[in-house]
């Protein structure tokens, strides 16, 4: 889309600066949309993955209690449709999450998710067919055993899929999504008390308990993944308090469902519910990275929160509740605020050359430059090194294309690129050593370890290319034609290698940005990721 926009801009007479700013704002808008989609997926996971087996259990119960009458057949058809739709939703959410997130450590995770979802989609219709046959022939044990075998296979696969999803999702974003759902269900329960709707009270209490258990499980995984003892102790303590508040909430919800008109039951339930939400908020604060920039699109803002809660009414007590009515007070969810930025000015930040279609190295360098140019280089050596690499790549592109061609300059530029790539790899390793998050550490080491190899290859290929240039200058016309073919092959290899180096540096910067949030408290490394005002204003104008 951005390439089409740039091509379209060539056909109309506009100011160059206007076109460039519009293109940058378009790319920021697309980035915002991707992050918003990821946020919606997290909310769906919080809602859909809380009780995976409920639709299947209804189907299994109907099969086991089948009497062969029309009522049983109708129920079986209804529950079969519900089970198939639920299974499809779970698979679609997992697939969408795998494709949209940038936190997956390797391609194996995506492949495993795809294999599991395909397997689940294959098993689901077989379960329905096996259940129908079991109902048709109720006395045949072979059909019943086959139905139960398929049921266990589905449960095993969906359990592994849930584990992969839990590893991928951001813990803080997941807790916030669950917290929002629990607050919404709390207001719905308050309305159900007025209407004396016992089923809504029971269903919401069950849903809140399931989401709380999911928070406990995901938070425990976050603690297991960390090497920071203080961080782990804080999480485990807050998790223990959350687990202790859950039985009290369940008991009070049961009493409220038995007699919604009893004022005492409501007050006890409201108190236990508030304690539960306070405990969830404490867990969320423990896992919070306190990095507004990295979580800007995962934390709900004021407008989102008000729009969602404006339709929910606080409990208005009737005759028995007019005096001394109780309304729980919930802690507001964290709201993202633009971080005040210092007035910094960097030289040559907007002087990077615009690439043409026949400049693949410069196009790759331009992509890397745009990605890192959103951050100030002040107090961030990694961004500074990456920016130097982009300008060296631009110079390499000119030399490879024959502009200001010089053998010594080509070799010298390649050597500088090699040295800078070693430096960015060194910084990444230092950061990985001080990172307390195991997954982030492994991810950072994996992406940065490719850089020295690619840098060495680039230096060798540049030397070969420079040698060919010198040889062609001394040969006759016939030899020059033959040499040009070899020169084209060497150029293609050099271009591919330069593109790989740019891509690896870009991945390393992204992984380092995430890992810098989880550095040890006493770490001597200080990487400040300060977003530029121009980028900040573009994002805020979109939102």
């Amino acid at each position: 889309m951005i390439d089409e926009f740039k091509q379209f801009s060539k056909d109309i007479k506009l100011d160059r600066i206007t076109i460039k700013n519009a293109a940058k704002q378009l790319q920021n808008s697309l980035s915002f949309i991707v992050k918003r989609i990821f946020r919606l997926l997290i909310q769906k996971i919080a809602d859909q993955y809380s009780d995976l087996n409920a639709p299947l259990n209804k189907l299994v119960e109907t099969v086991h209690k089948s009497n062969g009458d029309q009522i049983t057949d109708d129920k079986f058809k209804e529950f079969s449709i519900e089970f198939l739709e639920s299974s499809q939703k779970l698979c679609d959410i997992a697939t969408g999450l795998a494709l949209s997130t940038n936190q997956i450590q390797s391609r194996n995770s995506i492949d495993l998710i795809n294999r599991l979802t395909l397997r689940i989609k294959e098993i689901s219709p077989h379960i329905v067919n096996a259940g129908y046959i079991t109902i048709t022939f109720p006395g045949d044990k072979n059909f019943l055993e086959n139905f139960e075998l398929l049921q266990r296979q589905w449960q095993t696969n969906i359990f592994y899929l849930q584990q992969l999803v839990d590893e991928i999702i951001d813990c803080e974003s997941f807790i916030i999504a669950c917290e929002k759902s629990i607050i919404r269900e709390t207001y719905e329960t308050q309305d159900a008390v007025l209407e004396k709707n016992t089923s809504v009270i029971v269903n919401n209490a069950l849903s809140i308990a399931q989401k709380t258990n999911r928070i406990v499980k995901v938070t425990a995984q976050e603690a297991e993944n960390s090497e920071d003892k203080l961080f782990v102790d804080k999480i485990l303590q807050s998790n223990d308090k959350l687990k202790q508040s859950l039985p009290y909430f369940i008991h009070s919800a049961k009493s409220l469902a038995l007699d919604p008109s009893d004022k005492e039951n409501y007050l006890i339930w409201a108190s236990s519910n508030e304690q539960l939400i306070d405990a969830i908020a404490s867990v969320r604060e423990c896992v919070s990275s306190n990095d507004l920039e990295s979580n800007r699109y995962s934390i709900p803002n004021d407008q989102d929160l008000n729009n969602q809660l404006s339709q929910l009414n606080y409990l208005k007590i009737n005759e028995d509740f007019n005096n001394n009515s109780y309304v729980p007070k919930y802690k507001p969810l964290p709201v993202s605020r633009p971080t005040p930025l210092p007035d910094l000015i960097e030289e040559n930040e907007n002087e990077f050359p615009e690439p043409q279609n026949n400049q693949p190295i410069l196009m790759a360098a331009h992509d890397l430059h745009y990605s890192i140019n959103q951050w100030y280089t002040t107090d961030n050596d990694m961004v500074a090194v990456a920016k130097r690499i982009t300008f060296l790549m631009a110079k390499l592109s000119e030399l490879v294309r024959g502009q200001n061609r010089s053998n010594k300059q080509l070799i010298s530029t390649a050597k500088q690129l090699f040295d800078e790539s070693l430096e960015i790899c060194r910084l990444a390793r230092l950061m990985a050593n001080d990172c307390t998050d195991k997954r982030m550490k492994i991810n950072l080491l994996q992406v940065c370890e490719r850089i020295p190899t690619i840098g060495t290859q680039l230096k060798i290929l540049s030397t070969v290319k420079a040698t060919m240039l010198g040889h062609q200058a001394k040969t006759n016309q016939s030899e020059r034609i033959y040499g040009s073919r070899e020169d084209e092959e060497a150029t293609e290899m050099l271009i591919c290698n330069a593109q790989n180096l740019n891509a690896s540096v870009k991945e390393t910067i992204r992984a380092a940005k995430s890992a810098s949030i989880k550095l040890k408290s006493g770490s001597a490394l200080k990487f400040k990721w300060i977003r530029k005002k121009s980028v900040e204003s573009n994002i805020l104008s979109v939102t």
Side-chain angles (χ1 to χ4, degrees):
M1 184 183 296
I2 295 175
D3 293 337
E4 292 179 0
F5 176 81
K6 290 181 178 179
Q7 184 63 35
F8 173 74
S9 65
K10 296 179 181 179
D11 301 332
I12 58 178
K13 296 181 179 179
L14 287 177
D15 181 70
R16 181 177 178 84
I17 297 178
T18 304
I19 295 174
K20 189 175 181 179
N21 292 337
K24 287 185 177 181
Q25 189 166 359
L26 174 60
Q27 188 156 354
N28 286 332
S29 302
L30 293 176
S31 176
F32 171 80
I33 291 173
V34 171
K35 293 178 181 179
R36 178 59 66 94
I37 292 174
F38 182 69
R39 172 183 162 187
L40 293 175
L41 283 171
I42 295 292
Q43 189 64 54
K44 286 186 177 181
I45 291 171
D47 295 333
Q48 298 292 333
Y49 274 73
S50 58
D51 188 7
L52 302 175
N53 294 317
L56 179 61
N57 291 338
K58 293 180 182 178
L59 189 66
V60 172
E61 185 178 356
T62 304
V63 171
H64 287 164
K65 295 182 178 180
S66 61
N67 298 320
D69 53 12
Q70 184 63 34
I71 298 177
T72 303
D73 291 342
D74 293 340
K75 285 185 177 181
F76 178 80
K77 292 178 182 178
E78 177 185 350
F79 293 149
S80 296
I81 295 174
E82 182 181 349
F83 166 70
L84 292 175
E85 290 179 349
S86 174
S87 182
Q88 183 68 36
K89 285 181 181 179
L90 294 174
C91 293
D92 291 343
I93 292 172
T95 303
L97 181 68
L99 294 176
S100 64
T101 183
N102 59 6
Q103 300 180 21
I104 298 181
Q105 297 177 14
S106 65
R107 183 71 187 175
N108 293 333
S109 300
I110 299 178
D111 294 338
L112 186 55
I113 287 178
N114 291 333
R115 289 200 298 269
L116 284 173
T117 52
L118 287 175
R119 181 59 179 159
I120 292 169
K121 291 177 182 178
E122 291 175 357
I123 295 176
S124 299
H126 292 308
I127 292 177
V128 175
N129 294 333
Y132 180 76
I133 295 174
T134 305
I135 291 177
T136 307
F137 304 96
D140 196 317
K141 293 184 179 180
N142 292 327
F143 292 142
L144 180 60
E145 290 177 357
N146 181 52
F147 174 70
E148 292 177 347
L149 176 63
L150 291 171
Q151 172 192 342
R152 289 193 296 271
Q153 289 179 357
W154 186 91
Q155 289 175 328
T156 301
N157 283 276
I158 204 70
F159 172 74
Y160 287 139
L161 183 63
Q162 185 185 47
Q163 282 188 323
L164 284 173
V165 168
D166 289 347
E167 291 177 1
I168 292 173
I169 58 177
D170 175 66
C171 183
E172 182 183 1
S173 300
F174 176 75
I175 294 176
I176 290 173
C178 290
E179 193 174 2
K180 288 175 63 177
S181 296
I182 289 174
I183 291 176
R184 183 184 67 247
E185 289 163 350
T186 296
Y187 293 151
E188 292 174 355
T189 302
Q190 291 174 334
D191 292 337
V193 170
L194 290 176
E195 300 171 359
K196 296 181 175 59
N197 192 334
T198 303
S199 61
V200 173
I201 297 175
V202 173
N203 292 336
N204 285 341
L206 179 61
S207 178
I208 291 173
Q210 290 169 343
K211 289 183 175 65
T212 303
N213 281 325
R214 290 275 289 135
I215 292 174
V216 170
K217 179 182 176 181
V218 172
T219 307
Q221 290 180 352
E222 185 74 7
E224 185 179 353
N225 181 56
S226 177
E227 296 179 347
D228 189 340
K229 189 176 184 305
L230 294 177
F231 176 74
V232 172
D233 291 341
K234 284 174 57 180
I235 290 182
L236 294 180
Q237 290 177 5
S238 60
N239 232 11
D240 289 340
K241 292 180 180 179
L242 180 58
K243 287 188 286 187
Q244 293 172 4
S245 63
L246 187 56
Y248 179 48
F249 166 79
I250 294 175
H251 179 74
S252 63
K254 289 181 180 178
S255 301
L256 181 64
L258 291 174
D259 189 2
S261 301
D262 189 281
K263 176 181 177 180
E264 189 65 26
N265 288 343
Y266 171 75
L267 293 175
I268 294 175
W269 169 84
S271 175
S272 64
N273 189 81
E274 184 176 10
Q275 290 180 15
L276 183 71
I277 294 177
D278 285 344
I280 293 173
S282 298
V283 173
R284 181 233 307 151
E285 291 170 359
C286 288
V287 302
S288 174
S289 61
N290 294 322
D291 184 8
L292 296 180
E293 289 297 332
S294 62
N295 297 286
R296 179 172 300 283
Y297 302 105
S298 61
I299 298 178
N301 53 37
D302 286 322
Q303 184 176 1
D304 291 340
L305 191 60
N306 292 334
N307 290 341
Q308 184 172 7
L309 301 184
S310 61
Q311 306 298 327
L312 304 175
N313 298 323
Y314 287 96
L315 180 63
K316 297 178 181 179
I317 311 301
N318 53 19
E319 298 177 354
D320 297 333
F321 288 71
N322 280 333
N323 297 324
N324 194 25
S325 61
Y326 178 88
V327 178
K329 297 179 180 179
Y330 305 107
K331 284 186 177 181
L333 296 180
V335 178
S336 173
R337 304 287 186 193
T339 306
L341 301 175
D343 187 15
L344 299 178
I345 299 177
E346 295 192 353
E347 297 181 356
N348 302 325
E349 65 174 13
N350 295 320
E351 295 182 4
F352 197 82
E354 290 290 335
Q356 304 298 324
N357 293 332
N358 60 345
Q359 296 176 294
I361 295 180
L362 186 57
M363 290 179 68
H366 183 270
D367 179 62
L368 174 60
H369 181 80
Y370 180 81
S371 176
I372 64 174
N373 200 41
Q374 61 181 310
W375 310 107
Y376 283 112
T377 56
T378 305
D379 296 330
N380 195 320
D381 292 339
M382 189 167 289
V383 172
V385 175
K387 184 171 288 189
R388 291 199 297 269
I389 288 177
T390 62
F391 282 98
L392 287 171
M393 280 291 178
K395 183 178 180 181
L396 181 68
S397 177
E398 292 182 0
L399 295 171
V400 170
R401 292 180 71 242
Q403 299 174 357
N404 301 322
R405 179 171 288 186
S406 170
N407 300 348
K408 292 183 178 180
Q409 286 186 356
L410 181 58
I411 296 174
S412 175
T413 302
K415 186 179 183 304
Q416 292 179 55
L417 277 169
F418 175 71
D419 294 338
E420 296 294 356
S421 30
L422 289 183
E423 176 63 15
I424 204 169
C425 186
R426 184 187 70 84
L427 294 172
R429 287 170 180 167
L430 289 175
M431 183 178 292
N433 291 335
D434 284 358
C435 181
T436 60
D437 190 289
K438 297 178 183 177
R439 287 194 294 268
M440 290 181 179
K441 174 189 291 188
I442 294 174
N443 186 32
L444 180 55
L445 289 174
Q446 285 177 344
V447 296
C448 79
E449 287 299 332
R450 298 195 295 263
I451 293 179
T453 303
I454 300 174
T456 303
Q457 293 173 350
L458 180 67
K459 188 168 65 169
I460 295 173
L461 290 172
S462 299
T463 304
V464 173
K465 174 70 176 176
T467 303
M468 286 185 174
L469 292 177
H471 177 69
Q472 288 177 11
K474 300 177 181 179
T475 56
N476 56 31
Q477 184 66 25
S478 61
E479 290 176 337
R480 194 174 302 163
I481 295 174
Y482 176 77
S484 64
R485 295 177 182 175
E486 295 180 343
D487 181 61
E488 289 179 1
E489 294 178 358
T491 302
E492 290 179 0
M493 294 175 64
L494 182 60
I495 289 172
C496 181
N497 189 267
Q499 290 173 332
N500 291 336
L501 182 59
N502 279 287
S504 296
V505 172
K506 184 177 179 180
E507 291 179 12
T508 301
I509 292 294
R510 183 184 299 141
K513 171 66 175 62
S514 301
S516 63
I517 303 171
K518 298 290 186 178
L519 293 180
K520 295 177 182 178
S521 56
S523 174
L525 298 176
K526 301 297 180 183
F527 289 91
K528 294 183 180 180
W529 299 85
I530 306 176
R531 194 185 293 272
K532 293 181 179 178
K533 291 182 179 180
S534 58
V535 178
E536 190 76 28
S537 61
N538 285 338
I539 294 177
L540 294 177
S541 65
V542 173
T543 57

